[in-house]
Amino acid sequence: MAQRRIDADTGTMRDVLARMLDGLSRGPVALARIISTSGPTPRGVGAAMVVTADGEVIGSISGGCVESALVHTCTAVLDDGEAVVEHFGIADADGIEIGLTCGGTLDVLVERVDALRRPAVQQLVGHLAADRRVAWATTLAAAPEWHFVTSPTSPPWRRLDRDVADLLASGRSGIIGVDDCDEPPGEPFEGSRPRTFVHTFAAPPRLILVGANDFVRATCGVGRALGYRVTVVDARPVFATRARFPDADEIVVDWPHRYLESEIRSGAVDATTAVCVMTHDPKFDVPTLRVALAGTDVGFVGALGSRRTVTDRNSRLVESGVTAAQLARLRSPLGLDLGGHTPAEVAVSIAAQLIAERHDASTRALHTTSGPLHR
């Protein structure tokens, strides 16, 4: 193989893919991607590196900790064509063993990509150029199979379509399936659930929390844990502060209805967006809910409140021009009946409703149901 040249980190998988296409014009390439991590690591799941047939190294997995070992693995994969998963842990204290100095661990899938894959790579690059949400599923086998999902209605694939669609909806990447897919002899290909890495290219779903109180603060943390990009919006600067909402991704001081109108106009809200109005103040609640319910792009609209508050607010919404069809979209009182009262308990009940509605789930206790746990 020719002398290797290691380029500076291109920063994103999008850049790596574009340059990988160029490398494929000169022969097969080895693609290495982080598929899982534990503890502190230099780069996260989805970081990628490519070694071309003529020895060019594109991208970065760890910023230098394990690249030399991975280049050797890539060379072997280019030679024999069999994909492998490499595990890297903490570096040897004497500096002899290849590993991570930061104390974390990571698993890297290395696979050979040849001219037969070129149309698939071009398809993926096209999706990204058009800013489409796409999940790239790769089976963790010696001869990996690829599958692209761009919407929850994509054709079923290996009984993993629901899992892939869930990761796509949440904007997360990760491993699904099982090591032993237990496929009976003679059963069709689609019956198995092999371990599969799902590499998602999508912004995380948004959770817009209207209000600046203890319930919003508790919901921020739960929302982030579920993978949402959390925005807190309130017109009162004395309450809407970073110190009070450290878990929020962004804090906006503005009238909530005005902010929401602007986000809808700019296309920053879509069917994965949830708007939860938690102010308990009609001058904020009613205008914001009117905008949210009129915006058909908003996926979930909910509002906290007692039964009396809900009845009064619904009357105000109808008086302000909200139609019966629009009002039917409103989830209020917000949350599931878990019996909780504290801000943390209310936050869990809201999160549970968001999860249940996304999966169209029954919300029943699992021990009272039958059939597969993961449908």
Side-chain angles (χ1 to χ4, degrees):
M1 184 175 283
Q3 178 66 35
R4 300 182 180 93
R5 181 179 80 256
I6 299 181
D7 291 345
D9 179 18
T10 53
T12 69
M13 183 65 190
R14 296 169 188 259
D15 297 325
V16 170
L17 282 170
R19 298 181 63 190
M20 186 169 81
L21 273 175
D22 179 62
L24 279 170
S25 66
R26 305 191 298 273
V29 304
L31 170 64
R33 288 181 286 166
I34 297 179
I35 60 174
S36 69
T37 65
S38 177
T41 55
R43 303 199 63 189
V45 171
M49 184 179 88
V50 167
V51 176
T52 67
D54 53 9
E56 182 182 9
V57 179
I58 303 165
S60 172
I61 289 293
S62 69
C65 300
V66 302
E67 270 74 3
S68 60
L70 271 177
V71 167
H72 288 292
T73 302
C74 288
T75 302
V77 169
L78 279 172
D79 288 340
D80 64 27
E82 287 198 0
V84 297
V85 175
E86 292 274 43
H87 176 80
F88 295 97
I90 301 171
D92 182 83
D94 297 324
I96 298 173
E97 295 293 331
I98 297 293
L100 303 174
T101 58
C102 53
T105 65
L106 53 84
D107 291 324
V108 181
L109 169 66
V110 183
E111 60 182 312
R112 174 178 164 136
V113 181
D114 58 25
L116 293 176
R117 294 281 203 197
R118 187 179 180 86
V121 177
Q122 289 175 321
Q123 178 187 1
L124 180 57
V125 170
H127 285 315
L128 300 183
D131 284 331
R132 297 189 192 98
R133 300 170 64 90
V134 57
W136 174 14
T138 306
T139 57
L140 301 182
E145 297 155 21
W146 290 3
H147 181 67
F148 298 121
V149 173
T150 55
S151 76
T153 58
S154 294
W157 179 70
R158 276 187 170 273
R159 289 175 55 204
L160 291 169
D161 51 299
R162 287 289 296 270
D163 296 329
V164 177
D166 182 43
L167 288 174
L168 178 62
S170 63
R172 293 176 292 127
S173 297
I175 296 175
I176 58 176
V178 293
D179 285 312
D180 180 7
C181 57
D182 196 24
E183 184 177 2
E187 285 295 306
F189 168 84
E190 291 80 4
S192 61
R193 300 187 73 252
R195 286 184 81 234
T196 299
F197 172 56
V198 180
H199 195 162
T200 299
F201 299 87
R206 297 191 63 189
L207 177 58
I208 299 175
L209 302 176
V210 177
N213 53 45
D214 290 342
F215 294 100
V216 169
R217 181 163 58 246
T219 308
C220 280
V222 178
R224 284 197 69 176
L226 292 178
Y228 285 94
R229 180 165 73 88
V230 181
T231 299
V232 174
V233 55
D234 195 290
R236 302 164 296 179
V238 67
F239 294 116
T241 65
R242 172 58 59 189
R244 297 190 72 233
F245 300 97
D247 291 328
D249 292 287
E250 60 180 347
I251 300 165
V252 177
V253 179
D254 195 356
W255 282 86
H257 74 279
R258 187 165 60 190
Y259 169 75
L260 191 56
E261 283 176 336
S262 172
E263 293 296 279
I264 291 173
R265 279 198 308 269
S266 68
V269 220
D270 60 20
T272 69
T273 301
V275 175
C276 296
V277 176
M278 305 165 73
T279 57
H280 296 95
D281 188 333
K283 71 174 177 290
F284 294 121
D285 290 6
V286 173
T288 305
L289 287 172
R290 186 176 65 245
V291 171
L293 293 171
T296 54
D297 289 338
V298 182
F300 179 98
V301 183
L304 279 184
S306 65
R307 299 290 182 187
R308 179 183 298 177
T309 296
V310 170
T311 300
D312 175 71
R313 186 168 54 212
N314 286 353
S315 297
R316 293 171 184 265
L317 286 169
V318 171
E319 290 171 3
S320 71
V322 173
T323 67
Q326 291 172 338
L327 193 60
R329 295 179 54 214
L330 177 60
R331 300 295 182 258
S332 186
L334 178 60
L336 299 185
D337 181 13
L338 304 182
H341 298 280
T342 68
E345 291 172 333
V346 170
V348 170
S349 77
I350 293 171
Q353 184 172 20
L354 291 173
I355 296 169
E357 296 232 356
R358 189 173 73 200
H359 295 287
D360 192 26
S362 69
T363 73
R364 293 170 54 196
L366 289 175
H367 75 276
T368 67
T369 66
S370 60
L373 295 181
H374 304 288
R375 294 169 295 166

